[in-house]
Amino acid sequence: MEISYRKAARVWIGVCVAILLLLWTIDFTQHHAAPTNWSFFTQNKAAVPLDDSHKLTLSSQQLSIAKNKMSWLDDANQAHQIDKTLLQEKLFASSAGSHDIQPYFYKATSEPANNAITITTTITRSRIPTLARLANRYRGPISVALHISPDQQGQEALALLAEAYAEWPAMREFVDVHIIRDKMERQMNLWRNVARFYARSKYVMMLDVDFHLCTDVSYNVASNPEALAVLEAGHALVIPAFEYTKQQDGLDSRWFPTDKRKLAELHDAQAIDMFHAFWRPGHDSTDYDHWFKADQLYPVTAYQQSYEPYVIYKRDGHPWCDERFFGYGSNKAACLYEMYASGVDFYVLPHDFIIHQTHDYPTEARDQERFYNRRLYTAFREEVCFRYARKFIAQGQWTTAVTRNLMGLCDKIPRFHSFIASA
């Protein structure tokens, strides 16, 4: 009987150990969830912060985020922690005012492939239906910053957003929404940075939500080795932009052309033209005459400071939009100017294009904001020239090809050459 008791004891101990291992495994799973199971907020109509039992751990980088805290281990295996709100205050410190930024207020149910192209865009309440149509058309990852006011109108915007998610399956499947709640309107570059920062793929497409994707841009880029090589080399792809010459023709995207041949017919008939043809510096560097004849990717050879195309590029490793620009005028041009000055070249996609969907503009506000931004943009360009010159010299890159764009932009800036000689 003694042997039987010993056997029974061993069996009982084994069962206990197995149960403990099972419980430990469940706990480990809860505390080391995959990114697809983690969000700062649920996908319900009301946002709810995560509790202590939910955590994202990136073990290869020794980084974890839990309940509004970011924690990490350094090379000496020492633990550190910082508040998420403080982190975001520093991330977006150049913008005006304080913000309540809530990333992933809604998080797409599908996980983007690493090499996918995420559309990064910005909206306010009135553009929620436009976003839903874009999601249904693109059927790929979208990272959008939604600005709302911290009042009843902001709550109404969230209710409209919830209705769009309920109505449109593509919204639920593909769209990550990041809420920016403050009283400052039209901080375009802050909004762009938030959308890009929280994008979840290797490549991003900087796009205004009012543009209709007439072609399958994502597939065409993925199947073009030359285009992929451009992106991998750290450069950017330009998507030519058009609009109808009669505003009423641009109201219904269901009738927009879907191939270059039909677009050319409309262009020849003067029914369609480059986007904002009244301000040719904005897009003329794309060289539309050449584009209609092109069958291969080609470089932009006549960049100038007002050029502001819609581009695809790597999410990481490029300058961020300067958040001092808010309101209309020069904000996107400033993003692309710094990108170009940093050594990024632009290449035009030969078969893809987008068309602007007609909507009203607040002209009085635009005029006032353009006046301010023009003055800021003049000082900004000079600042970029000196800042990047200092950077390239300090890193021993001044005699390399990466400075070619900077030299072309800054050649006529007063005291630039004397600064280089003394550096």
Side-chain angles (χ1 to χ4, degrees):
M1 292 299 294
E2 183 179 355
I3 296 176
S4 298
Y5 288 141
R6 289 179 179 175
K7 287 184 177 179
R10 284 197 295 268
V11 170
W12 176 246
I13 292 171
V15 170
C16 291
V17 170
I19 291 173
L20 288 173
L21 286 172
L22 178 61
L23 292 174
W24 182 85
T25 302
I26 292 171
D27 185 67
F28 182 88
T29 303
Q30 289 177 339
H31 285 73
H32 295 76
T36 53
N37 296 326
W38 168 82
S39 174
F40 283 104
F41 299 90
T42 66
Q43 293 190 27
N44 298 324
K45 292 181 181 179
V48 182
L50 293 175
D51 60 33
D52 287 325
S53 66
H54 292 77
K55 182 187 294 183
L56 169 66
T57 297
L58 305 175
S59 58
S60 62
Q61 299 179 15
Q62 298 181 307
L63 172 70
S64 65
I65 305 173
K67 198 170 183 179
N68 297 326
K69 299 286 185 181
M70 185 183 77
S71 306
W72 71 98
L73 295 176
D74 62 21
D75 292 339
N77 213 36
Q78 295 178 323
H80 308 278
Q81 188 178 78
I82 190 170
D83 182 79
K84 178 177 72 68
T85 301
L86 178 62
L87 175 66
Q88 291 194 137
E89 284 180 0
K90 175 56 180 173
L91 286 173
F92 309 111
S94 297
S95 58
S98 58
H99 327 281
D100 177 13
I101 299 176
Q102 301 178 3
Y104 306 111
F105 188 87
Y106 283 93
K107 191 170 186 180
T109 58
S110 64
E111 182 77 10
N114 182 55
N115 61 350
I117 299 172
T118 296
I119 290 177
T120 59
T121 192
T122 65
I123 61 170
T124 54
R125 169 181 172 170
S126 64
R127 293 293 181 268
I128 291 174
T130 309
L131 172 67
R133 292 193 296 271
L134 176 64
N136 197 55
R137 171 65 178 170
Y138 185 54
R139 306 201 67 79
I142 298 175
S143 178
V144 58
L146 167 62
H147 176 262
I148 62 173
S149 53
D151 53 24
Q152 182 58 35
Q153 288 187 342
Q155 294 304 310
E156 292 170 358
L158 294 180
L160 289 174
L161 180 64
E163 291 175 6
Y165 265 82
E167 180 181 354
W168 294 84
M171 289 281 286
R172 299 191 295 273
E173 185 175 355
F174 299 113
V175 181
D176 292 339
V177 178
H178 320 293
I179 302 298
I180 302 174
R181 185 185 279 107
D182 61 37
K183 296 181 179 180
M184 297 294 296
E185 296 183 354
R186 293 187 290 279
Q187 291 199 83
M188 312 295 194
N189 282 355
L190 165 66
W191 304 352
R192 287 187 177 105
N193 285 346
V194 169
R196 174 184 162 193
F197 186 81
Y198 291 109
R200 295 188 285 147
S201 67
K202 186 176 184 179
Y203 307 120
V204 293
M205 179 194 307
M206 186 192 296
L207 186 71
D208 290 347
V209 74
D210 296 310
F211 276 89
H212 179 74
L213 295 168
C214 296
T215 56
D216 192 344
V217 179
S218 184
Y219 173 82
N220 292 341
V221 170
S223 58
N224 185 336
E226 187 180 5
L228 291 175
V230 164
L231 294 177
E232 284 302 299
H235 301 300
L237 300 171
V238 173
I239 311 171
F242 294 85
E243 69 179 346
Y244 280 89
T245 54
K246 295 180 179 179
Q247 294 294 292
Q248 63 269 26
D249 291 340
L251 291 171
D252 192 344
S253 61
R254 292 176 299 176
W255 302 103
F256 288 6
T258 57
D259 61 69
K260 193 172 180 178
R261 179 190 61 80
K262 180 60 178 176
L263 178 71
E265 292 175 0
L266 291 169
H267 185 264
D268 292 342
Q270 299 183 348
I272 208 164
D273 202 351
M274 62 176 279
F275 180 58
H276 281 180
F278 60 85
W279 173 243
R280 300 200 72 85
H283 290 267
D284 213 18
S285 294
T286 298
D287 193 349
Y288 285 82
D289 290 339
H290 179 71
W291 182 80
F292 278 107
K293 303 171 187 175
D295 195 47
Q296 301 291 328
L297 205 67
Y298 64 91
V300 170
T301 57
Y303 174 87
Q304 40 72 34
Q305 66 195 34
S306 298
Y307 188 44
E308 49 179 12
Y310 297 94
V311 293
I312 300 169
Y313 57 103
K314 277 186 175 180
R315 180 195 60 189
D316 302 344
H318 290 301
W320 296 83
C321 294
D322 193 303
E323 293 161 6
R324 292 174 296 174
F325 291 86
F326 62 90
Y328 295 108
S330 303
N331 54 78
K332 185 153 67 75
C335 300
L336 295 160
Y337 183 91
E338 185 166 354
M339 188 181 294
Y340 185 77
S342 73
V344 175
D345 292 323
F346 298 123
Y347 292 83
V348 183
L349 292 168
H351 299 296
D352 294 291
F353 59 93
I354 53 180
I355 296 179
H356 185 249
Q357 300 172 87
T358 300
H359 64 87
D360 293 329
Y361 294 106
T363 54
E364 183 178 352
R366 280 177 171 248
D367 291 341
Q368 295 173 349
E369 291 165 350
R370 283 195 179 106
F371 174 77
Y372 164 78
N373 281 337
R374 277 197 300 268
R375 295 169 66 89
L376 176 60
Y377 192 34
T378 298
F380 167 80
R381 296 196 308 273
E382 183 171 325
E383 174 193 318
V384 164
C385 286
F386 285 102
R387 176 155 48 90
Y388 276 90
R390 183 186 297 270
K391 172 187 173 182
F392 291 143
I393 292 170
Q395 295 179 345
Q397 295 178 299
W398 186 248
T399 58
T400 67
V402 73
T403 64
R404 184 185 65 250
N405 294 348
L406 187 73
M407 291 297 293
L409 292 174
C410 308
D411 186 60
K412 295 182 180 180
I413 287 182
R415 299 182 301 279
F416 182 71
H417 290 284
S418 59
F419 168 79
I420 298 303
S422 63

